[in-house]
C-alpha cells in the first residue's frame, strides 16, 4: 500500500497538522500520482471548518492536483509512468447514468465521489485530498496536462478554471457577445482570462477601484465600479451573459437590469445567505438566473488543452505546506492574487 502523508484537519476548529494515512495500490485502470502542486480552493477552508455541515475527519483537503504518474495499473491507456496528470473536484461517479454517459460526471444521478471527505466507491474508505504526497485515481477522472505550462499555476485550473470555463462555454461566450464578470478573486480572475481569450467583449465588475489596473492587465475591455450608480446605469440592457463569481452577500438586483433580453446571470460563487431578487427584474426581458458547478471530464480536458494552446494559467502565490494555516487566514481577507498553490515538495 502506498503510505501517504499530508496535512489534515481533525475537527472544525483546529489548524491543519501533519497526518499519516494509507491509500490502496492502483487498480487495473488506476494510477498513483506523486502530487507536485495542489491549489488552495476556498471550499477547502469551508470543508475543513465544517461550514457546509458535511465534514468527515480526519480530512486532508485539496482538489486542484497536478502530479507525476509513479504507478499505473495494467489497463491504463491514457498515462504511463513519468507523465504529468491532473485531478480536480471529483474522482469517481456511477459511470452508467445518462449524465455520466454524456461525460457530465459532475451531474451523476447517483452522486459523484468528491476528491476528499467522501466514502470511496471502490473500497469504502474516506477519500483524502491533494494536500498530500500522493493520490490514487482511476484514469477516467484524471487529465493530461500541457507540460509547457507552469505546473504550479495549472493546479487552480482544476477547480477555479473549470468552474468558470464551463458556464462561459455553455452560454456561448465569444466574438460578438458582451460578458460581465462579477468579482475579481480566484474564480473571477479565471473567468476574466477565459472570456477575454474566447473573444467576448468582457467587462469586469469590482467593488474595489484598486483592482482596475489588474483587471485591465488580465484582459478586461472595461472595468465598472459596482458601487458607482452612474457607472452601473451606463451598462443597462447591454450584457448577453454575466458570470457572478462572488461568494459574499450581494444584490442580484444590481446586475439583472444590465442584461439584454433573454440574458443570463449565472452564479458560481456560494454566498452563505440565499440571494434574493425582484421578479420584475426577470420578467421584463425574459431573463434568467442560473447556476453552474465545475464540469465533466471531457470538458475539463478540453479546458486544459485550450489553456495549453493559449498559454493560460492562474495567477498564483506558491507556498510551502507549512504555511497552509496562514494561507487560510489570508484567504478570508482576500489577501491573495489570485490563488495559493502548495508546492508539495515542501512536505519532504
Ligand atoms: Zn474548489
Ligand atoms: Zn452517474
Amino acid at each position: 500500500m502506498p503510505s501517504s502523508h499530508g496535512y489534515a484537519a481533525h475537527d472544525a476548529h483546529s489548524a491543519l497538522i501533519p497526518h499519516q494515512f494509507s491509500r490502496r495500490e492502483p487498480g487495473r485502470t488506476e494510477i498513483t500520482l506523486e502530487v507536485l502542486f495542489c491549489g488552495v480552493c476556498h471550499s477547502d477552508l469551508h470543508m475543513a471548518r465544517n461550514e457546509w455541515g458535511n465534514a468527515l475527519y480526519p480530512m486532508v483537503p485539496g482538489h486542484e492536483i497536478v502530479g507525476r504518474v509513479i504507478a499505473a495499473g495494467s489497463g491504463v491507456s491514457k498515462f504511463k509512468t513519468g507523465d504529468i496528470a491532473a485531478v480536480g473536484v471529483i474522482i469517481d461517479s456511477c459511470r452508467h447514468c445518462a449524465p455520466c454517459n454524456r461525460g457530465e460526471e459532475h451531474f451523476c444521478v447517483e452522486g459523484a465521489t468528491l476528491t476528499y471527505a467522501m466514502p470511496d466507491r471502490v473500497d469504502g474508505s474516506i477519500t483524502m485530498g491533494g494536500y498530500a504526497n500522493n493520490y490514487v485515481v482511476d484514469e477516467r477522472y484524471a487529465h493530461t496536462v500541457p507540460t509547457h505550462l507552469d505546473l504550479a499555476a495549472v493546479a487552480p485550473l482544476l477547480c477555479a478554471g473549470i468552474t468558470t470555463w464551463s458556464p462561459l462555454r455553455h452560454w456561448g461566450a465569444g466574438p460578438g457577445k458582451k460578458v460581465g464578470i462579477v468579482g475579481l478573486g480566484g474564480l473571477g480572475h479565471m473567468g476574466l482570462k477565459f472570456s477575454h481569450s474566447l473573444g467576448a467583449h468582457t467587462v469586469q465588475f469590482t467593488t474595489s477601484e484598486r483592482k482596475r489596473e489588474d483587471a485591465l492587465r488580465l484582459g478586461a475591455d472595461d472595468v465598472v465600479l459596482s458601487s458607482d450608480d452612474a457607472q452601473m446605469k451606463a451598462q443597462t440592457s447591454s450584457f448577453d451573459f454575466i458570470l457572478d463569481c462572488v461568494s459574499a452577500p450581494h444584490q442580484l438586483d444590481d446586475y439583472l437590469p444590465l442584461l439584454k433580453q433573454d440574458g443570463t446571470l449565472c452564479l458560481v460563487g456560494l454566498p452563505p445567505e440565499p440571494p434574493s431578487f425582484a421578479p420584475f427584474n426577470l420578467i421584463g426581458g425574459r431573463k434568467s438566473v442560473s447556476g453552474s458547478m465545475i464540469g465533466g471530464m471531457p470538458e475539463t480536458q478540453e479546458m486544459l488543452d485550450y489553456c495549453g494552446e493559449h498559454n493560460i494559467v492562474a495567477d498564483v502565490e506558491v507556498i510551502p505546506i507549512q504555511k497552509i494555516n496562514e494561507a487560510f487566514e489570508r484567504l478570508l481577507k482576500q489577501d491573495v492574487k489570485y490563488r495559493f498553490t502548495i508546492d508539495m515538495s515542501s512536505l519532504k
Side-chain angles (χ1 to χ4, degrees):
M1 297 249 278
S3 89
S4 304
H5 58 281
Y7 268 53
H10 288 75
D11 59 61
H13 310 289
S14 315
L16 271 62
I17 55 170
H19 180 63
Q20 306 266 347
F21 57 103
S22 62
R23 302 193 196 264
R24 64 172 172 275
E25 293 293 340
R28 209 183 67 81
T29 57
E30 293 182 332
I31 54 174
T32 303
L33 298 180
E34 173 195 1
V35 179
L36 301 175
F37 296 100
C38 187
V40 179
C41 177
H42 212 113
S43 25
D44 297 344
L45 173 60
H46 288 300
M47 285 291 291
R49 298 186 177 176
N50 199 21
E51 288 166 11
W52 294 332
N54 55 346
L56 291 170
Y57 301 105
M59 180 193 301
V60 177
H63 60 204
E64 296 181 337
I65 300 168
V66 174
R68 182 181 290 113
V69 178
I70 53 171
S74 60
V76 170
S77 59
K78 205 157 69 177
F79 301 98
K80 59 183 189 318
T81 304
D83 284 352
I84 300 298
V87 177
V89 178
I90 69 174
I91 51 107
D92 207 352
S93 61
C94 84
R95 311 185 192 192
H96 55 71
C97 72
C100 281
N101 286 335
R102 283 198 298 270
E104 294 185 317
E105 296 89 347
H106 55 313
F107 297 140
C108 175
V109 173
E110 297 181 17
T113 306
L114 301 179
T115 309
Y116 63 89
M118 280 270 273
D120 186 279
R121 281 182 150 80
V122 176
D123 63 10
S125 65
I126 299 304
T127 56
M128 298 283 185
Y131 294 7
N133 63 325
N134 57 20
Y135 204 90
V136 175
V137 65
D138 191 289
E139 65 168 343
R140 173 173 174 162
Y141 301 87
H143 311 281
T144 61
V145 174
T147 49
H148 64 281
L149 297 175
D150 172 4
L151 297 181
V154 165
L157 299 176
L158 277 302
C159 179
I162 187 62
T163 296
T164 51
W165 171 263
S166 179
L168 287 166
R169 295 283 287 163
H170 181 78
W171 277 279
K177 295 289 178 72
K178 185 172 173 184
V179 170
I181 306 291
V182 185
L184 186 57
L187 289 172
H189 95 290
M190 286 313 310
L192 176 53
K193 288 186 185 203
F194 284 143
S195 178
H196 168 72
S197 175
L198 289 166
H201 182 87
T202 306
V203 177
Q204 179 70 48
F205 293 94
T206 177
T207 52
S208 163
E209 180 58 37
R210 68 193 158 78
K211 289 194 175 169
R212 179 177 297 271
E213 287 291 297
D214 248 18
L216 294 171
R217 174 181 65 81
L218 294 168
D221 295 291
D222 204 354
V223 181
V224 170
L225 195 61
S226 56
S227 54
D228 183 323
D229 287 346
Q231 286 187 37
M232 290 293 275
K233 218 164 208 129
Q235 303 290 329
T236 300
S237 302
S238 67
F239 285 89
D240 297 282
F241 182 66
I242 297 177
L243 187 65
D244 186 338
C245 303
V246 174
S247 290
H250 61 293
Q251 291 292 331
L252 302 192
D253 283 327
D254 291 347
Y255 295 96
L256 293 173
L258 311 189
L259 291 170
K260 286 180 187 168
Q261 182 192 317
D262 294 313
T264 297
L265 173 88
C266 176
L267 305 174
V268 290
L270 291 166
E273 303 295 329
S276 69
F277 52 87
F280 268 114
N281 278 329
L282 291 185
I283 62 174
R286 198 167 44 198
K287 297 168 185 177
S288 302
V289 172
S290 186
S292 185
M293 67 163 204
I294 53 172
M297 298 304 106
E299 194 176 30
T300 304
Q301 187 64 61
E302 171 197 80
M303 173 212 58
L304 287 166
D305 294 345
Y306 182 93
C307 287
E309 282 159 34
H310 298 266
N311 281 305
I312 295 174
V313 288
D315 283 24
V316 294
E317 179 179 336
V318 180
I319 58 165
I321 187 71
Q322 292 79 8
K323 290 224 164 146
I324 185 59
N325 295 299
E326 191 183 310
F328 274 7
E329 291 309 316
R330 287 181 53 197
L331 209 54
L332 284 171
K333 291 182 264 179
Q334 300 179 344
D335 175 23
V336 57
K337 285 185 173 178
Y338 280 93
R339 203 75 155 176
F340 291 111
T341 288
I342 306 164
D343 179 349
M344 217 48 76
S345 68
S346 61
L347 250 186
K348 285 171 186 157

